[in-house]
């Protein structure tokens, strides 16, 4: 299937490389409003040039487009692509409002086209491993995420929509994203929201009826102001704790440690609870080495070949955008 790459920035280059590894998609063209970017791609890859995005949409031999452009353009470009009966792959966020996302999904269903939003970490083998082994952690005590770097300031979205969206997507995949309460502390620099500390109280979908722990506390720290790059999620449970870091070779460090509540009776028969800790081995689970982006593109392909939008993924995307709106406004 011929596919057009729309946007040839940092991530567009990665998407193009992943497409070239596919045995299903064939690169038709690369398009960017900055013609120098098209020229840069042309020096490496062989493809037909088009004068405009509209010209690409008029070419019936191109059946799919991948939109890797600034977030504020996603809604308009995706809407035009779907109206032209193109299967559409969109970099996160799908759009900058929940209402616009719903419009796009409704349109995709009407046009019998696939609309796929690339929440990249859903396709990380590490995150999928965590999902498959959550029961081994026992009762979840806390979640702590840090996603910080000295990054480019975005003029169209703040640091929450740029970085925290990844952590919300992971949390939704692992635990659901029913927000009971929230508090967001922002730090602005030169009119940009460049740092945020977000506290979420989430409904615990796996809460034991015999415990009062019906909620999960999650803290997310995101920043464009850090001199170091950190991509870290800590999941602390009664039985095990995991540190997930996508930037490391061993992406999951698993600690066989947790909390023990021992029950004792003193001589005066007063009931006493003492908190103790146990420490065990540290292990590094073996994970699939396939890149998350390749897995995401494979998921896009699977929906096309089965002619059906994955409703679970659609609902996931809508929950994440809703979560972003809740903590942002």
């Amino acid at each position: 299937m011929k596919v057009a790459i729309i946007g040839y920035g940092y991530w567009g280059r990665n998407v193009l490389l992943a497409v070239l590894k596919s045995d299903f998609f064939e690169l038709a063209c690369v398009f960017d409003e900055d013609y120098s970017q098209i020229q840069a791609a042309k020096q490496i890859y062989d493809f037909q040039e088009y004068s405009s995005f509209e010209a690409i949409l008029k070419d019936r031999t191109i059946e799919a487009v991948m939109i890797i452009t600034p977030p504020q353009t996603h809604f308009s470009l995706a809407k035009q692509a779907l109206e032209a009966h193109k299967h559409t792959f969109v970099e996160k966020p799908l759009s900058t409002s929940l209402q616009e996302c719903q419009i796009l999904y409704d349109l995709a269903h009407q046009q019998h086209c696939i609309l796929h939003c690339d929440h990249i970490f859903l396709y990380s083998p590490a995150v999928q491993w965590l999902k498959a082994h959550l029961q081994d952690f026992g009762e979840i005590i806390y979640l702590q995420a840090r996603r910080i770097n000295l990054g480019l300031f975005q003029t169209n979205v703040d640091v929450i929509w740029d970085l925290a969206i990844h952590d919300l997507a992971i949390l939704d995949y692992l635990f659901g994203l029913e927000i009971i309460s929230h508090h967001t502390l922002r730090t602005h620099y030169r009119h940009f929201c460049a740092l945020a500390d977000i506290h979420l109280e989430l409904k615990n979908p796996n809460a034991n009826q015999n415990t009062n722990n019906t909620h999960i506390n999650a803290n997310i720290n995101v920043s464009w102001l850090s001199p170091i790059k950190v991509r870290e999620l800590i999941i602390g449970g009664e039985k095990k704790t995991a540190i997930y870091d996508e930037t490391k070779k061993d992406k999951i460090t698993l600690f066989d440690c947790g909390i023990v509540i021992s029950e004792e009776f003193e001589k005066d028969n007063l009931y006493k609870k003492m908190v103790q800790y146990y420490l065990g081995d540290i292990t590094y689970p073996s994970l699939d080495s396939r890149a998350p982006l390749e897995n995401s593109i494979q998921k896009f392909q699977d929906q096309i070949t089965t002619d059906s939008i994955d409703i679970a993924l659609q609902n996931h995307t809508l929950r994440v955008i809703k979560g972003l709106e809740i903590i942002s406004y």
Side-chain angles (χ1 to χ4, degrees):
M1 178 176 288
K2 287 187 176 182
V3 61
I5 305 294
I6 311 301
Y8 192 63
Y10 164 75
W11 195 244
R13 285 165 164 78
N14 291 334
V15 171
L16 191 154
L17 290 172
V19 165
L20 293 178
K21 294 181 181 180
S22 169
D23 57 4
F24 179 80
F25 292 109
E26 175 188 348
L27 178 65
C29 70
V30 175
F31 181 79
D32 196 294
E33 285 191 344
D34 181 352
Y35 185 64
S36 67
Q37 295 284 52
I38 299 177
Q39 291 177 309
K42 197 71 174 178
Q43 292 178 0
I44 306 172
Y45 309 104
D46 181 28
F47 57 85
Q48 181 180 346
E49 290 188 39
Y50 290 78
S51 60
S52 65
F53 179 60
E54 290 74 20
I56 292 170
L57 297 184
K58 289 178 181 178
D59 187 339
R60 294 186 178 181
T61 68
I62 297 176
E63 299 180 73
V65 297
M66 294 185 166
I67 298 170
I68 323 296
T69 59
Q72 79 275 14
T73 67
H74 289 180
F75 175 71
S76 175
L77 295 177
K79 185 172 182 290
Q80 292 177 67
L82 292 169
E83 288 173 341
H85 298 279
K86 310 293 186 187
H87 300 299
T88 305
F89 176 106
V90 185
E91 178 192 13
K92 64 81 184 172
L94 179 58
S95 183
T96 53
S97 84
L98 181 62
Q99 182 180 15
E100 289 179 347
C101 290
Q102 188 64 65
I103 289 171
L104 291 177
Y105 277 118
D106 290 344
L107 180 59
H109 288 289
Q110 292 168 11
Q111 298 290 85
H112 301 288
C113 292
I114 300 304
L115 174 62
H116 176 78
C117 180
D118 181 27
H119 285 180
I120 188 70
F121 291 106
L122 267 63
Y123 307 98
S124 163
V127 175
Q128 293 174 348
W129 186 94
L130 289 170
K131 177 74 170 179
H133 294 84
L134 273 181
Q135 69 278 4
D136 299 337
F137 287 72
E139 185 177 313
I140 302 300
I141 307 301
Y142 70 95
L143 303 168
Q144 180 71 49
R146 282 196 305 159
R147 192 172 296 272
I148 63 176
N149 56 267
L150 193 61
L152 294 174
F153 279 44
Q154 307 287 330
T155 59
N156 41 74
V157 292
D158 64 16
V159 71
I160 296 173
W161 281 76
D162 181 41
L163 296 181
I165 184 173
H166 292 304
D167 297 300
L168 292 183
I170 294 170
L171 293 182
D172 181 71
Y173 179 68
L174 295 179
F175 305 103
L177 200 59
E178 187 172 339
I179 299 175
I180 306 300
S181 65
H182 66 94
H183 178 71
T184 303
L185 179 64
R186 297 174 177 84
T187 298
H188 286 78
Y189 176 74
R190 301 281 178 90
H191 307 294
F192 294 95
C193 174
L195 185 151
D197 288 293
I198 304 160
H199 173 72
L200 300 175
E201 189 178 19
L202 304 176
K203 183 176 180 180
N204 184 355
N206 302 313
N208 190 318
Q209 294 181 351
N210 298 322
T211 181
N212 293 323
N213 188 23
T214 58
H215 299 163
I216 299 176
N217 286 315
N219 290 286
I220 302 171
N221 173 238
V222 289
S223 174
W224 287 331
L225 302 175
S226 171
I228 61 172
K229 182 176 181 178
V230 177
R231 299 287 186 266
E232 180 183 83
L233 171 65
I234 303 175
I235 301 176
E238 276 190 315
K239 298 178 180 179
K240 293 182 185 293
T241 296
I243 298 179
Y244 159 52
D245 188 337
E246 190 68 36
T247 67
K248 293 184 177 179
K249 180 181 178 182
D250 293 313
K251 300 188 185 306
I252 294 179
T253 304
L254 190 63
F255 299 83
D256 185 21
C257 63
I259 301 170
V260 178
I261 305 295
S262 64
E263 299 180 355
E264 297 181 358
F265 288 91
E266 302 289 2
K267 292 182 179 179
D268 56 3
N269 291 328
L270 292 177
Y271 180 74
K272 181 180 180 182
K273 286 189 176 181
M274 298 183 64
V275 177
Q276 299 177 343
Y277 302 91
Y278 69 90
L279 300 174
D281 295 334
I282 298 175
T283 56
Y284 304 93
S286 178
L287 303 172
D288 187 347
S289 60
R290 194 179 190 199
L293 181 54
E294 294 177 30
N295 290 333
S296 182
I297 290 174
Q298 179 66 52
K299 183 63 178 180
F300 182 44
Q301 172 187 329
D302 292 343
Q303 292 174 89
I304 292 172
T305 56
T306 59
D307 191 28
S308 60
I309 293 178
D310 188 316
I311 298 301
L313 275 179
Q314 172 181 319
N315 292 337
H316 159 80
T317 300
L318 295 174
R319 286 193 301 269
V320 171
I321 297 298
K322 181 180 179 181
L324 285 167
E325 290 190 343
I326 288 172
I327 65 179
S328 296
Y329 306 114

